[in-house]
Amino acid sequence: MANPTKSWIESANAADSEFPIQNLPYGVFSVAGDPPRCGVAIGDRIVDLAACEAQGLLDAGGSFSAPQLNDFMALGREKWDEIRAKLTELLAEGGNTETPTVAMSDARLHLPIHVTEYTDFYASKNHAFNVGVLFRGPENALPAQWTHMPIGYNGRASSVVVSGTDVIRPMGQLKGEDGPVWSPCKRLDLELEIGAIVGANSTLGERVSVEEAEDMIFGYVLLNDWSARDIQAWEYQPLGPFQAKAFATTISPWIVTQAALEPFRSEGAERDHELLPYLKEKRPGLYDINLSWSLNGEVLSNTNYNVMYYSSAQQLAHHTESGCPMRVGDLLGTGTISGPERGQTGALLEMTEGGKNPVSVGDGQRTFIEDGDTVALHGHAQGDGYRIGFGPCSGKILPAKQ
């Protein structure tokens, strides 16, 4: 009888493997110049889902031959559950050892979805308060509406890139002594976030409940919302971020499904007051996911996704409150994830208090990110003898094109 907690792929059974059989995250890969197609990570291997379909091991209507997961996601939750169950059967100890796989070391990973739209939120109370103090002082740190609804802005889907893609320092208009100046960004920052991938459409003019919104979410990725703080400070009033956020957003290549995260459901931050009925959750909507970020290989901060004030399902439900339609492939960033302490912050803006208190990195110090620096995000949910990992989410900063 097959053992659903162990795999015949031995590397998946290591306690520190990011991709045990309990995970099975989806991505898109190519090998040796072949066209990109869909795959699933397991240990140090990738299941070739297109080959599985060709051999009759799986049936996803041919969607796994596509260079993105949108077609598969559009098949709906029943199909998602069916494929996950079949993959578990094939890969389990005692399963089908002829299931086609390739070595992860031989594969190139691609952006896993066509990003239809991208919305970024602002859902960590610690982050919102810390940033608010820097800009408005402690008395007015949180806007009046912040604890009543998820705050967000519409970002650029066109500049979402996969982990490992270099990021060019943006040029922009900054505030100078005697008016605006044209300059490379001098206060480049990261934002440690999680991104929710929407796997179902909603209808124009119709709202979805929090429960329906949760059912629409296909899975989650790590997300770095690169931020040009000096450009942002000059442009953000009265309409919020624009060019300061438009130049790049990095996501991890593997989409961790809701099913894999189900054992890690967690309550979020304590509420200041009761939410309006349309935002109330019937069960915890956050997850116990350990998160950290590093600069040039040195970990500077550790936190957890469960510090957030709003879940991705609440953000998605709020996104539709006006009747705004959502689409398969929409990406929703959580907003920066920060704990209450300096070593738990998800951005250098907070950690250095706006650049006033540098942090030590290697033999030097940093207030913001310099050319040549590599920033990486890390995340996993820790189970009993296994972990659900997200894989890499990193980018190296290249000089601005002046």
Side-chain angles (χ1 to χ4, degrees):
M1 182 177 177
N3 180 356
T5 66
K6 297 290 183 182
S7 174
W8 53 263
I9 297 175
E10 284 300 323
S11 59
N13 300 326
D16 60 351
S17 171
E18 290 204 295
F19 307 123
I21 196 168
Q22 293 91 339
N23 193 350
L24 303 181
Y26 289 89
V28 170
F29 75 101
S30 62
V31 177
D34 288 345
R37 66 252 193 210
C38 300
V40 157
I42 175 82
D44 59 1
R45 310 288 296 180
I46 299 174
V47 180
D48 188 333
L49 296 178
C52 286
E53 275 210 276
Q55 294 179 22
L57 298 175
L58 299 172
D59 179 12
S63 62
F64 288 141
S65 296
Q68 33 71 28
L69 284 155
N70 296 53
D71 293 345
F72 171 63
M73 293 190 295
L75 297 177
R77 182 164 292 278
E78 185 175 335
K79 180 59 71 172
W80 306 346
D81 292 342
E82 174 195 319
I83 295 297
R84 180 176 173 83
K86 184 61 178 176
L87 281 169
T88 300
E89 177 186 325
L90 290 170
L91 297 170
E93 194 174 60
N96 185 352
T97 58
E98 299 300 315
T99 301
T101 69
V102 301
M104 196 171 291
S105 59
D106 292 336
R108 177 186 174 192
L109 302 179
H110 301 268
L111 196 66
I113 61 169
H114 169 69
V115 183
T116 312
E117 303 277 359
Y118 168 48
T119 305
D120 196 40
F121 286 88
Y122 192 46
S124 163
K125 189 177 180 183
N126 297 308
H127 174 70
F129 180 81
N130 291 341
V131 172
V133 168
L134 292 174
F135 286 100
R136 295 179 296 276
E139 304 81 12
N140 301 302
L142 286 181
Q145 78 278 31
W146 196 93
T147 55
H148 293 277
M149 67 178 184
I151 304 297
Y153 70 93
N154 290 311
R156 290 293 303 175
S158 61
S159 53
V160 177
V161 297
V162 73
S163 174
T165 304
D166 292 338
V167 174
I168 299 170
R169 179 179 298 272
M171 296 290 295
Q173 191 176 128
L174 317 179
K175 183 180 180 180
E177 297 264 338
D178 302 310
V181 295
W182 174 250
S183 169
C185 166
K186 295 181 173 68
R187 293 162 69 89
L188 186 60
D189 204 356
L190 77 144
E191 289 196 351
L192 168 63
E193 304 189 23
I194 281 179
I197 308 294
V198 178
N201 296 330
S202 68
T203 304
L204 177 66
E206 299 291 330
R207 297 184 299 275
V208 300
S209 68
V210 173
E211 290 72 33
E212 290 168 331
E214 185 171 85
D215 203 49
M216 291 169 64
I217 295 174
F218 177 70
Y220 297 86
V221 293
L222 299 178
L223 184 151
N224 185 350
D225 178 35
W226 300 95
S227 299
R229 299 301 188 186
D230 41 5
I231 297 173
Q232 183 178 358
W234 178 236
E235 75 177 2
Y236 85 103
Q237 292 181 332
L239 295 181
F242 184 38
Q243 294 303 314
K245 302 278 192 171
F247 60 97
T249 301
T250 301
I251 66 171
S252 53
W254 298 108
I255 303 175
V256 176
T257 63
Q258 279 191 327
L261 292 173
E262 190 63 33
F264 305 98
R265 284 189 177 272
S266 179
E267 297 283 356
E270 183 179 350
R271 299 258 171 240
D272 287 26
H273 44 68
E274 193 171 354
L275 295 175
L276 292 176
Y278 82 98
L279 285 173
K280 289 183 179 178
E281 292 181 312
K282 293 182 179 178
R283 59 176 180 166
L286 293 167
Y287 300 97
D288 180 5
I289 301 173
N290 300 303
L291 297 168
S292 63
W293 63 268
S294 61
L295 182 58
N296 299 334
E298 186 172 338
V299 174
L300 297 185
S301 176
N302 292 275
T303 186
N304 194 291
Y305 179 46
N306 63 16
V307 302
M308 300 301 273
Y309 201 85
Y310 298 104
S311 70
S312 292
Q314 288 173 314
Q315 291 169 340
L316 178 51
H318 181 68
H319 211 318
T320 71
E321 70 160 357
S322 64
C324 169
M326 307 304 293
R327 295 288 176 260
V328 171
D330 282 352
L331 173 64
L332 306 182
T334 57
T336 305
I337 303 171
S338 293
E341 306 296 330
R342 189 187 191 209
Q344 299 171 335
T345 53
L348 280 165
L349 180 70
E350 292 172 83
M351 184 173 286
T352 66
E353 296 183 74
K356 292 184 293 186
N357 296 305
V359 293
S360 297
V361 181
D363 296 330
Q365 291 191 314
R366 289 286 189 282
T367 51
F368 291 97
I369 301 168
E370 298 182 3
D371 292 346
D373 284 346
T374 295
V375 175
L377 312 185
H378 317 274
H380 73 271
Q382 185 61 53
D384 184 10
Y386 73 97
R387 61 176 47 179
I388 303 297
F390 285 77
C393 184
S394 66
K396 180 180 179 179
I397 299 300
L398 302 184
K401 294 183 177 181
Q402 301 189 50

